[in-house]
Amino acid sequence: MEFRRITNLPPYVFTIIDGLKVEARRAGIDVIDLGFGNPDLPSPKIAVEKLSEAAHNARNHRYSASRGIPKLRQAVADLYQRRFGVDLDPEQEVISTIGAKEGFSHLMWVLLQPGDAALVPSPSYPIHIWGPLFAGADVREIRMGAGEDLFENIQEAYEYSWPKPRVIVLSFPHNPTTACVDLEFFQRVVDFAREKEVVVVHDNAYAELGFDGFQPPSILQAEGAKECAVELYSMTKSFSMAGWRVAYLVGNREVVQALAKLKSYLDYGTFQPIQIAATVTLNEDPGHPREVQPIYQARRDALCEGLNRIGWEVEPPRGTMFTWAPIPEPYRDMGSVEFASFLVKEASVATSPGLGFGPGGDGHVRFALIENEQRINQGIRNLRKALTKLG
């Protein structure tokens, strides 16, 4: 049998590390898992209580609204006003999605077709690369990394692309590189997109996870952004609701309504008790992200201070729930998959190989801040013993 749409998908390199992790645990080895970015913090108490209460009401067992129930869309509009000072029309400029991955993937179907092109940072979160490819479009890389002028790279990638890209995909704070940008950068992108008549899709997954006083901006804060931009905001990290699959697409009304039209054919929305619980959480526990953020910052400090202490030089990130670590010089010839495999086998520490994030990622591994500080410190001790070539 031939499965043409997935034939060219490379093996998901993260599964190699997962396999080694499972093997080690079966052998009774305690693996410190800093690989998969799966938040370990509990969801807000009020979300769990409201979910349970709403699930007991049989009326909520029926199909829901694929755009999201009206009160949820209003709560998202209120969140954007409160957090970013951005006005949104809950009827036209807000839609609920079944997690950001679903929203992003289907949005690419709306915006792109075979023969089109999209600009995507490289390396990047895998769905940002594969979403446009699943829609049949070509992907042009925007080089990311230390010493790169990102805006210049966007302009250059646009100028040298044929056909001219219809979409620019961005996500800041960025996974996996943890790069952060300010509002001035977004203003330049918006001005450029309006001039070139391009749609900007910004995945604001780590909107609430800025460190050392940094507050990640929304692209919609830029003047004229609603003419050309949409943004995904997710409750996965900021409200520790990963498994609930609750996110929102907001911004340009034509794009939001186009996604609403496609989704009306594809789904009936998230289970209604989840939407009710999300609504109540946004309205009654709006400060929850402020409880989550210091926990991740403390973990970042434990990891980065520990790595630097053992001679593995890393730059502490200003945002996200990750650390993007260059493979230390004595081990660089291994490549990221071999090196990450070595770390599981020799140090019982799981990381994500940079190669899994596309071209440009191979010289790095990504640590996810999903274990507590004691476990992170244990991981550092394991790494110190295993990495004998470090000074």
Side-chain angles (χ1 to χ4, degrees):
M1 257 189 195
E2 193 186 357
F3 304 101
R4 288 184 302 238
R5 199 175 284 279
I6 60 167
T7 301
N8 295 325
L9 274 178
Y12 209 51
V13 299
F14 306 119
T15 58
I16 297 166
I17 307 305
D18 283 342
L20 292 171
K21 207 163 62 186
V22 169
E23 214 175 283
R25 282 178 173 160
R26 278 196 187 130
I29 296 163
D30 176 25
V31 176
I32 291 161
D33 189 359
L34 303 172
F36 183 30
N38 193 1
D40 63 316
L41 303 176
S43 302
K45 196 163 175 245
I46 194 165
V48 178
E49 285 167 1
K50 284 293 161 188
L51 172 68
S52 172
E53 186 186 305
H56 280 101
N57 184 339
R59 277 182 316 187
N60 291 326
H61 300 174
R62 305 171 72 183
Y63 290 134
S64 187
S66 77
R67 296 192 307 143
I69 56 176
K71 282 184 178 171
L72 177 56
R73 286 182 277 118
Q74 182 62 59
V76 175
D78 293 344
L79 162 81
Y80 262 74
Q81 177 50 248
R82 194 170 58 235
R83 170 71 174 82
F84 302 112
V86 169
D87 288 321
L88 292 170
D89 173 357
E91 275 305 304
Q92 298 290 315
E93 296 172 339
V94 179
I95 184 173
S96 173
T97 66
I98 308 172
K101 270 174 120 170
E102 177 274 319
F104 179 83
S105 306
H106 287 146
L107 181 61
M108 294 300 107
W109 288 14
V110 167
L111 296 174
L112 298 165
Q113 63 181 25
D116 290 337
L119 294 184
V120 183
S122 178
S124 247
Y125 184 52
I127 198 62
H128 292 164
I129 298 168
W130 288 97
L133 293 171
F134 285 145
D138 291 328
V139 165
R140 307 275 181 261
E141 292 170 27
I142 305 166
R143 286 191 317 281
M144 290 279 295
E148 296 285 354
D149 183 321
L150 196 56
F151 183 70
E152 211 172 89
N153 291 353
I154 291 172
Q155 288 177 299
E156 192 181 290
Y158 182 88
E159 293 309 330
Y160 286 103
S161 287
W162 187 259
K164 286 291 174 238
R166 289 172 56 91
V167 171
I168 298 172
V169 175
L170 297 175
S171 180
F172 295 103
H174 184 252
N175 176 13
T177 70
T178 74
C180 294
V181 298
D182 55 16
L183 188 51
E184 188 191 340
F185 171 85
F186 279 146
Q187 189 63 62
R188 291 168 80 192
V189 169
V190 164
D191 294 344
F192 178 77
R194 287 165 73 191
E195 183 197 330
K196 304 292 185 189
E197 298 184 345
V198 179
V199 175
V200 183
V201 177
H202 181 241
D203 185 354
N204 203 358
Y206 304 96
E208 312 300 347
L209 289 185
F211 304 135
D212 307 320
F214 172 63
Q215 285 211 309
S218 161
I219 196 169
L220 299 181
Q221 289 172 278
E223 207 178 310
K226 278 201 213 169
E227 291 173 36
C228 65
V230 285
E231 181 164 86
L232 284 150
Y233 182 100
S234 163
M235 293 182 79
T236 290
K237 281 84 185 183
S238 44
F239 287 86
S240 302
M241 291 171 69
W244 300 59
R245 310 316 298 135
V246 184
Y248 316 101
L249 183 78
V250 301
N252 180 280
R253 66 182 57 213
E254 286 177 72
V255 175
V256 169
Q257 291 312 306
L259 180 61
K261 185 175 182 180
L262 178 69
K263 279 175 67 65
S264 70
Y265 282 86
L266 294 173
D267 69 69
Y268 292 104
T270 305
F271 184 42
Q272 192 151 292
I274 290 178
Q275 294 191 49
I276 292 166
T279 306
V280 174
T281 302
L282 288 173
N283 289 337
E284 295 185 23
D285 192 9
H288 192 83
R290 289 197 294 277
E291 295 171 30
V292 168
Q293 182 274 340
I295 296 170
Y296 283 113
Q297 184 165 323
R299 291 176 179 186
R300 175 207 68 167
D301 293 346
L303 179 70
C304 293
E305 286 165 16
L307 290 175
N308 282 308
R309 200 167 55 240
I310 66 169
W312 184 344
E313 288 178 27
V314 295
E315 191 74 35
R318 287 174 69 215
T320 75
M321 53 182 288
F322 305 110
T323 293
W324 185 236
I327 298 173
E329 192 60 58
Y331 298 91
R332 201 151 291 166
D333 57 344
M334 285 174 115
S336 61
V337 178
E338 193 187 338
F339 182 64
S341 302
F342 170 81
L343 294 184
V344 178
K345 291 175 192 163
E346 302 301 321
S348 304
V349 172
T351 60
S352 291
L355 186 65
F357 302 98
D362 201 23
H364 292 72
V365 291
R366 190 196 71 179
F367 288 88
L369 305 172
I370 52 161
E371 295 259 26
N372 64 38
E373 288 158 72
Q374 290 72 24
R375 299 276 293 159
I376 288 170
N377 286 325
Q378 178 60 54
I380 297 293
R381 289 193 290 274
N382 293 2
L383 288 168
R384 172 188 272 142
K385 285 182 202 149
L387 297 170
T388 54
K389 295 181 194 171
L390 291 185

